[in-house]
Amino acid sequence: MNYGNIKNCDIANGEGVRVSLFVSGCTHHCKNCFNAETWDFSYGEPFTKETEEKIIKMLEPEYIDGLSLLGGEPFEPENQAILLPFIKKVKEIYPEKTIWCYTGYRLDKELLSDSRARCEYTDEMLSYIDILVDGEFVQELYDISLSFKGSSNQRIINIPKTLKKGKLILYNLKSDRIV
């Protein structure tokens, strides 16, 4: 897997101060994607053990609330294969920090059902994610006033509650802060 960028002290891609990893590779190709260069699976730099260690070190300060995964597309199967052991390690080292993940795939229609994204890693990967922002970016539904998403069709989902209850539970930005 390659990655296009790593942002330290990011406040735009999830609650609090975060470290954000922008993976390469995406088959959605949303119109007016803000990060279209990462559609190419070979864009950027290889995600190595050194890259992992760099991110883990960046997550160390107390003021960092967690890790955000963006793209490209973290849930492309070839990216899941690499991201799963990495986010498992992050959760083992920093169980108090949250993991947000942005995906163009819909949780209920594509990640939890048969689709091109669902593979042997999907369920376990979801088990380490706290918040999932799902749905493709749709230019016609773009709204700058939305928090942590680009278009109104996208959903911010509380994954632990959703998996526990077996039904979709949206994350309430005002009252559900995960700590």
Side-chain angles (χ1 to χ4, degrees):
M1 179 183 85
N2 279 9
Y3 69 96
N5 195 6
I6 299 168
K7 289 186 178 180
N8 196 6
C9 297
D10 185 3
I11 58 169
N13 295 300
E15 286 183 315
V17 181
R18 315 190 65 74
V19 175
S20 294
L21 170 64
F22 294 80
V23 302
S24 293
C26 183
T27 57
H28 297 294
H29 299 186
C30 301
K31 177 183 170 188
N32 292 331
C33 172
F34 82 104
N35 211 8
E37 62 273 6
T38 62
W39 294 352
D40 182 350
F41 283 85
S42 61
Y43 175 78
E45 302 293 323
F47 187 79
T48 63
K49 289 291 177 199
E50 292 77 23
T51 310
E52 279 190 20
E53 294 307 317
K54 175 183 173 181
I55 294 171
I56 286 170
K57 186 76 174 153
M58 293 167 96
L59 288 164
E60 188 177 335
E62 242 180 76
Y63 62 86
I64 299 291
D65 292 288
L67 174 68
S68 292
L69 304 172
L70 306 96
E73 174 56 69
F75 274 98
E76 295 293 357
E78 48 270 74
N79 289 343
Q80 290 184 57
I82 305 302
L83 288 172
L84 174 58
F86 172 61
I87 64 173
K88 183 177 182 180
K89 185 176 182 180
V90 168
K91 275 294 191 183
E92 287 169 359
I93 296 170
Y94 303 114
E96 73 287 356
K97 298 194 187 253
T98 59
I99 296 178
W100 280 54
C101 183
Y102 288 76
T103 180
Y105 293 107
R106 299 292 277 187
L107 176 66
D108 45 347
K109 305 241 188 286
E110 294 165 301
L111 297 180
L112 295 176
S113 301
D114 285 339
S115 74
R116 65 187 165 120
R118 187 161 173 77
C119 66
E120 66 268 25
Y121 309 108
T122 307
D123 290 339
E124 190 176 0
M125 189 159 148
L126 285 167
S127 76
Y128 293 105
I129 293 171
D130 297 291
I131 304 298
L132 185 75
V133 182
D134 82 342
E136 291 185 5
F137 171 73
V138 177
Q139 179 63 53
E140 295 74 24
L141 300 175
Y142 173 69
D143 183 347
I144 196 166
S145 71
L146 298 171
S147 296
F148 307 121
K149 57 185 185 174
S151 56
S152 61
N153 63 299
Q154 295 173 313
R155 305 176 297 186
I156 302 174
I157 302 168
N158 184 318
I159 292 295
K161 284 184 179 179
T162 293
L163 295 178
K164 183 177 180 181
K165 295 191 184 247
K167 66 177 189 171
L168 193 77
I169 306 292
L170 296 179
Y171 181 68
N172 184 327
L173 292 168
K174 293 183 174 133
S175 65
D176 285 353
R177 182 148 165 81
I178 294 176
V179 287

